[in-house]
Amino acid sequence: MKSSTPSSHTQFVDLDNARVDEQREVMKKIINEGHCPFCSENLHLYHTVANELEGDHWFITKNLWPYKNTKFHYLAILKRHAELVSELTNEEGAELIQLLGKLEKKLKVTGGGFAVRFGDTNYSAGTVKHIHAQFIVPDIDNDNFEPVRFKLGKDKDKR
């Protein structure tokens, strides 16, 4: 397993992409520790909810800071540190789809979306530089519903 110890130029979180104050505070602690919060040996230090599903390669867990207007918002997080889709093995890719399918059945949802955040956070708009997928089901039955917006690309004034 690749170590999640950073080199002197690596930072695993991007405060500019945080959406809420509580998230920023947790991310500041992560920066002080200097490790990747999504690697399996560190996830429990910052993520306070149990995993919903787990495979050999991925965890699926609730997003602590779900997007507005979601009924369900989960993260699928690769257990080892990787940042790019090209770093995934065939087995890891297949397991991701299998676990998302199990989650879909478990939640009894009839629709939604998923997207994978990878690589440079200026492009992915991710808060963590560790490949992960978002599994999102909108709360369309809410009277005040507006569509869920999934952002890609960092705001111009923060690049």
Side-chain angles (χ1 to χ4, degrees):
M1 181 181 290
K2 185 176 174 183
S3 170
S4 63
T5 303
S7 63
S8 60
H9 63 279
T10 301
Q11 185 168 304
F12 292 107
V13 296
D14 188 335
L15 282 172
D16 290 338
N17 291 332
R19 292 176 290 107
V20 297
D21 289 339
E22 180 186 12
Q23 184 182 29
R24 277 184 206 85
E25 291 308 310
V26 171
M27 290 171 66
K28 288 176 185 175
K29 292 176 188 173
I30 293 165
I31 290 169
N32 287 337
E33 292 299 320
H35 55 231
C36 177
F38 278 4
C39 285
S40 60
E41 67 270 21
N42 303 322
L43 186 65
H44 71 281
L45 299 173
Y46 308 102
H47 195 73
T48 57
V49 297
N51 293 331
E52 192 77 21
L53 295 170
E54 186 173 338
D56 292 335
H57 306 288
W58 296 87
F59 302 106
I60 295 190
T61 186
K62 286 184 179 178
N63 189 331
L64 292 177
W65 301 287
Y67 294 157
K68 185 177 177 184
N69 301 311
T70 58
K71 182 174 185 176
F72 300 111
H73 189 174
Y74 286 83
L75 298 175
I77 303 169
L78 187 65
K79 289 181 179 181
R80 70 177 179 90
H81 189 81
E83 297 178 6
L84 300 171
V85 173
S86 60
E87 295 177 77
L88 295 177
T89 66
N90 290 340
E91 294 80 17
E92 290 167 339
E95 185 182 83
L96 173 62
I97 298 303
Q98 290 166 354
L99 286 172
L100 293 176
K102 285 181 182 180
L103 182 63
E104 173 191 83
K105 287 179 182 176
K106 182 176 183 175
L107 299 174
K108 298 177 179 156
V109 297
T110 58
F114 75 90
V116 178
R117 291 201 189 274
F118 65 94
D120 185 335
T121 56
N122 286 311
Y123 293 92
S124 73
T127 53
V128 180
K129 195 173 182 182
H130 179 122
I131 194 164
H132 60 286
Q134 313 264 344
F135 179 95
I136 302 167
V137 176
D139 188 7
I140 63 172
D141 297 324
N142 182 332
D143 290 338
N144 298 318
F145 176 74
E146 292 180 25
V148 176
R149 304 292 184 202
F150 185 85
K151 179 181 174 184
L152 289 173
K154 185 181 284 189
D155 295 330
K156 190 173 186 177
D157 63 331
K158 293 183 179 180
R159 281 184 268 146

XYZ file of all heavy atoms in Angstrom, residues 1-2 4 36-47 51 54-59 77-82 130:
249
model
N 0.856 -1.183 0.000
C 0.000 0.000 0.000
C 0.896 1.237 0.000
O 1.847 1.320 0.755
C -0.910 -0.001 1.226
C -1.829 1.185 1.282
S -2.905 1.219 2.745
C -3.965 -0.137 2.351
N 0.558 2.171 -0.837
C 1.314 3.419 -0.910
C 1.104 4.232 0.362
O 0.004 4.346 0.862
C 0.847 4.209 -2.132
C 1.651 5.471 -2.379
C 1.183 6.129 -3.658
C 1.876 7.456 -3.838
N 1.411 8.159 -5.011
N 0.658 7.368 2.874
C -0.019 8.660 2.741
C 0.791 9.766 3.395
O 0.284 10.811 3.715
C -1.412 8.588 3.365
O -1.308 8.333 4.738
N -3.245 12.347 4.506
C -4.472 12.273 3.720
C -5.609 11.751 4.591
O -5.526 10.644 5.120
C -4.268 11.351 2.522
S -5.786 11.158 1.552
N -6.694 12.524 4.730
C -7.796 12.107 5.592
C -8.632 10.968 5.022
O -9.408 10.361 5.747
C -8.640 13.374 5.712
C -8.395 14.085 4.418
C -6.941 13.829 4.113
N -8.483 10.649 3.735
C -9.272 9.583 3.127
C -8.542 8.248 3.081
O -9.159 7.234 2.773
C -9.712 9.977 1.715
C -10.932 10.860 1.661
C -11.556 11.337 2.807
C -11.463 11.224 0.444
C -12.678 12.150 2.740
C -12.595 12.032 0.354
C -13.207 12.491 1.504
N -7.255 8.228 3.365
C -6.555 6.941 3.400
C -7.089 6.122 4.572
O -7.456 6.678 5.616
C -5.053 7.148 3.520
S -4.295 7.683 1.964
N -7.153 4.814 4.401
C -7.832 3.957 5.373
C -7.289 4.112 6.788
O -8.050 4.052 7.753
C -7.780 2.498 4.935
O -6.451 2.058 4.814
N -5.992 4.350 6.936
C -5.427 4.475 8.281
C -5.781 5.795 8.969
O -5.591 5.943 10.173
C -3.901 4.279 8.260
C -3.120 5.361 7.526
C -2.896 5.086 6.048
O -3.648 4.284 5.451
O -1.968 5.696 5.484
N -6.323 6.757 8.204
C -6.643 8.079 8.763
C -8.130 8.408 8.788
O -8.540 9.312 9.520
C -5.922 9.167 7.953
C -4.438 8.970 7.922
O -3.832 8.559 8.908
N -3.822 9.231 6.784
N -8.928 7.712 8.005
C -10.335 8.070 7.837
C -11.068 8.188 9.173
O -11.801 9.149 9.406
C -11.042 7.053 6.936
C -12.486 7.376 6.566
C -12.571 8.637 5.715
C -13.120 6.202 5.829
N -10.847 7.257 10.067
C -11.549 7.257 11.366
C -11.199 8.468 12.234
O -11.939 8.800 13.151
C -11.243 5.964 12.133
C -9.846 5.900 12.634
N -8.762 5.562 11.827
C -9.337 6.159 13.861
C -7.657 5.621 12.549
N -7.974 5.970 13.775
N -10.091 9.134 11.942
C -9.684 10.290 12.738
C -10.587 11.509 12.506
O -10.692 12.371 13.376
C -8.237 10.676 12.412
C -7.173 9.616 12.696
C -5.823 10.075 12.163
C -7.116 9.301 14.181
N -11.214 11.564 11.343
C -11.987 12.758 10.977
C -13.423 12.445 10.570
O -14.267 13.328 10.590
C -11.305 13.488 9.810
C -9.859 13.744 10.095
C -8.863 12.962 9.531
C -9.483 14.745 10.994
C -7.528 13.182 9.829
C -8.153 14.965 11.300
C -7.181 14.180 10.720
O -5.871 14.392 11.020
N -13.679 11.233 10.194
C -15.005 10.856 9.696
C -15.738 10.123 10.806
O -15.338 9.031 11.204
C -14.869 9.993 8.444
C -16.129 9.879 7.688
N -16.644 10.923 6.946
C -17.007 8.878 7.575
C -17.775 10.542 6.403
N -18.027 9.304 6.773
N -19.172 3.219 8.260
C -19.265 2.906 6.838
C -20.575 2.191 6.558
O -20.996 1.327 7.327
C -18.094 2.020 6.410
C -16.776 2.749 6.493
O -16.721 3.960 6.354
N -15.709 2.018 6.721
N -18.605 -1.816 2.684
C -17.156 -1.881 2.540
C -16.795 -3.078 1.684
O -17.345 -4.166 1.840
C -16.501 -2.006 3.913
C -14.999 -1.946 3.867
C -14.354 -1.906 5.241
O -15.018 -1.517 6.214
O -13.167 -2.278 5.320
N -15.892 -2.853 0.765
C -15.368 -3.928 -0.063
C -13.896 -4.110 0.226
O -13.366 -3.587 1.208
N -13.217 -4.817 -0.643
C -11.776 -5.008 -0.491
C -11.012 -3.717 -0.754
O -9.944 -3.498 -0.192
C -11.274 -6.085 -1.451
C -11.787 -7.470 -1.112
O -12.114 -7.713 0.079
O -11.878 -8.311 -2.030
N -11.580 -2.856 -1.616
C -10.859 -1.663 -2.085
C -11.500 -0.331 -1.707
O -10.832 0.697 -1.765
C -10.707 -1.715 -3.608
C -10.082 -2.975 -4.099
N -8.759 -3.279 -3.925
C -10.634 -4.046 -4.731
C -8.507 -4.457 -4.444
N -9.624 -4.948 -4.934
N -12.788 -0.322 -1.369
C -13.521 0.924 -1.170
C -14.326 0.905 0.121
O -14.796 -0.139 0.545
C -14.523 1.157 -2.321
C -13.888 1.333 -3.653
C -13.545 0.345 -4.525
C -13.537 2.563 -4.292
N -12.999 0.883 -5.661
C -12.980 2.244 -5.541
C -13.651 3.903 -3.919
C -12.542 3.229 -6.426
C -13.206 4.869 -4.799
C -12.651 4.536 -6.042
N -14.512 2.084 0.699
C -15.477 2.335 1.763
C -16.622 3.122 1.140
O -16.369 4.003 0.320
C -14.914 3.262 2.856
C -13.682 2.801 3.545
C -12.450 3.385 3.266
C -13.741 1.816 4.520
C -11.311 2.990 3.942
C -12.607 1.411 5.201
C -11.391 1.992 4.910
N -14.907 5.901 -1.128
C -13.515 6.321 -0.946
C -12.593 5.124 -1.115
O -12.754 4.101 -0.432
C -13.323 6.937 0.462
C -14.276 8.119 0.663
C -11.865 7.343 0.669
C -14.340 8.617 2.104
N -11.640 5.255 -2.005
C -10.641 4.201 -2.212
C -9.799 4.057 -0.952
O -9.359 5.060 -0.376
C -9.749 4.553 -3.412
C -8.757 3.486 -3.854
C -9.480 2.238 -4.374
C -7.829 4.055 -4.927
N -9.563 2.828 -0.512
C -8.838 2.598 0.741
C -7.366 3.000 0.644
O -6.806 3.506 1.607
C -8.939 1.124 1.144
C -10.320 0.729 1.606
C -10.337 -0.733 2.016
C -11.692 -1.158 2.516
N -11.686 -2.576 2.936
N -6.750 2.761 -0.479
C -5.336 3.144 -0.628
C -5.276 4.539 -1.238
O -6.244 5.008 -1.837
C -4.581 2.136 -1.480
C -4.977 2.165 -2.938
C -4.149 1.196 -3.775
N -4.582 1.252 -5.159
C -4.075 2.078 -6.075
N -3.111 2.922 -5.761
N -4.526 2.066 -7.316
N -4.141 5.194 -1.093
C -4.024 6.532 -1.649
C -3.775 6.458 -3.153
O -2.824 5.844 -3.612
C -2.905 7.337 -0.983
C -2.929 8.772 -1.418
N -3.796 9.686 -0.859
C -2.272 9.417 -2.399
C -3.639 10.852 -1.461
N -2.728 10.715 -2.407
N -4.652 7.089 -3.888
C -4.501 7.296 -5.327
C -5.223 8.595 -5.636
O -6.154 8.997 -4.915
C -5.103 6.142 -6.122
N -7.703 12.882 -3.125
C -7.700 11.420 -3.025
C -8.923 10.995 -3.818
O -10.022 11.507 -3.576
C -7.826 11.018 -1.548
C -7.859 9.555 -1.272
N -6.932 8.948 -0.453
C -8.712 8.576 -1.667
C -7.216 7.661 -0.350
N -8.300 7.420 -1.083
